Short mmCIF file of all heavy atoms in Angstrom, two decimals:
data_model
loop_
_atom_site.label_atom_id
_atom_site.label_comp_id
_atom_site.label_asym_id
_atom_site.label_seq_id
_atom_site.Cartn_x
_atom_site.Cartn_y
_atom_site.Cartn_z
N PRO Z 231 -6.34 16.39 9.75
CA PRO Z 231 -7.23 16.59 8.68
C PRO Z 231 -8.45 15.73 8.71
O PRO Z 231 -9.60 16.06 8.14
CB PRO Z 231 -6.35 16.12 7.39
CG PRO Z 231 -5.28 15.24 7.85
CD PRO Z 231 -4.95 15.78 9.36
N GLN Z 232 -8.41 14.54 9.37
CA GLN Z 232 -9.68 13.79 9.73
C GLN Z 232 -9.38 12.95 10.97
O GLN Z 232 -8.30 12.85 11.46
CB GLN Z 232 -9.99 12.84 8.51
CG GLN Z 232 -8.97 11.79 8.21
CD GLN Z 232 -9.36 10.99 7.03
OE1 GLN Z 232 -10.50 10.61 6.80
NE2 GLN Z 232 -8.33 10.66 6.19
N GLY Z 233 -10.52 12.57 11.65
CA GLY Z 233 -10.38 11.91 12.92
C GLY Z 233 -9.89 10.49 12.80
O GLY Z 233 -9.88 9.90 11.59
N PRO Z 234 -9.40 9.86 13.79
CA PRO Z 234 -8.93 8.47 13.73
C PRO Z 234 -9.87 7.45 13.31
O PRO Z 234 -9.52 6.38 12.52
CB PRO Z 234 -8.39 8.28 15.21
CG PRO Z 234 -9.14 9.21 16.04
CD PRO Z 234 -9.50 10.38 15.16
N LEU Z 235 -11.16 7.64 13.58
CA LEU Z 235 -12.12 6.54 13.23
C LEU Z 235 -12.48 6.62 11.70
O LEU Z 235 -12.66 5.66 11.02
CB LEU Z 235 -13.35 6.68 14.08
CG LEU Z 235 -13.10 6.30 15.61
CD1 LEU Z 235 -14.34 6.54 16.55
CD2 LEU Z 235 -12.48 4.98 15.74
N ARG Z 236 -12.51 7.89 11.24
CA ARG Z 236 -12.78 8.17 9.78
C ARG Z 236 -11.55 7.58 9.02
O ARG Z 236 -11.72 7.06 7.91
CB ARG Z 236 -13.11 9.55 9.47
CG ARG Z 236 -14.50 9.90 9.75
CD ARG Z 236 -14.93 11.14 9.12
NE ARG Z 236 -16.16 11.55 9.49
CZ ARG Z 236 -17.39 11.20 8.91
NH1 ARG Z 236 -17.29 10.24 8.08
NH2 ARG Z 236 -18.52 11.60 9.32
N LEU Z 237 -10.35 7.83 9.54
CA LEU Z 237 -9.13 7.37 8.98
C LEU Z 237 -9.18 5.83 8.96
O LEU Z 237 -8.76 5.24 7.92
CB LEU Z 237 -7.97 7.87 9.69
CG LEU Z 237 -6.64 7.47 9.24
CD1 LEU Z 237 -6.39 7.89 7.74
CD2 LEU Z 237 -5.50 7.98 10.08
N ALA Z 238 -9.49 5.20 9.95
CA ALA Z 238 -9.65 3.76 9.96
C ALA Z 238 -10.54 3.20 8.88
O ALA Z 238 -10.18 2.20 8.26
CB ALA Z 238 -9.95 3.21 11.34
N ASP Z 239 -11.68 3.83 8.74
CA ASP Z 239 -12.62 3.50 7.64
C ASP Z 239 -11.99 3.67 6.31
O ASP Z 239 -12.23 2.89 5.37
CB ASP Z 239 -13.90 4.34 7.78
CG ASP Z 239 -14.96 3.78 8.82
OD1 ASP Z 239 -14.75 2.80 9.40
OD2 ASP Z 239 -15.89 4.47 8.91
N LEU Z 240 -11.17 4.69 6.11
CA LEU Z 240 -10.47 4.91 4.88
C LEU Z 240 -9.35 3.93 4.70
O LEU Z 240 -9.29 3.24 3.54
CB LEU Z 240 -9.85 6.35 4.85
CG LEU Z 240 -8.99 6.63 3.49
CD1 LEU Z 240 -9.92 6.65 2.32
CD2 LEU Z 240 -8.38 8.02 3.85
N ILE Z 241 -8.57 3.55 5.65
CA ILE Z 241 -7.66 2.50 5.57
C ILE Z 241 -8.14 1.14 5.23
O ILE Z 241 -7.70 0.38 4.48
CB ILE Z 241 -6.74 2.36 6.85
CG1 ILE Z 241 -5.92 3.71 7.09
CG2 ILE Z 241 -5.79 1.25 6.89
CD1 ILE Z 241 -5.33 3.84 8.43
N GLY Z 242 -9.37 0.95 5.89
CA GLY Z 242 -10.01 -0.38 5.84
C GLY Z 242 -9.79 -1.11 7.29
O GLY Z 242 -8.64 -1.10 7.62
#
Side-chain angles (χ1 to χ4, degrees):
Q232 62 183 324
L235 299 175
R236 284 197 183 277
L237 178 59
D239 277 355
L240 177 63
I241 295 169

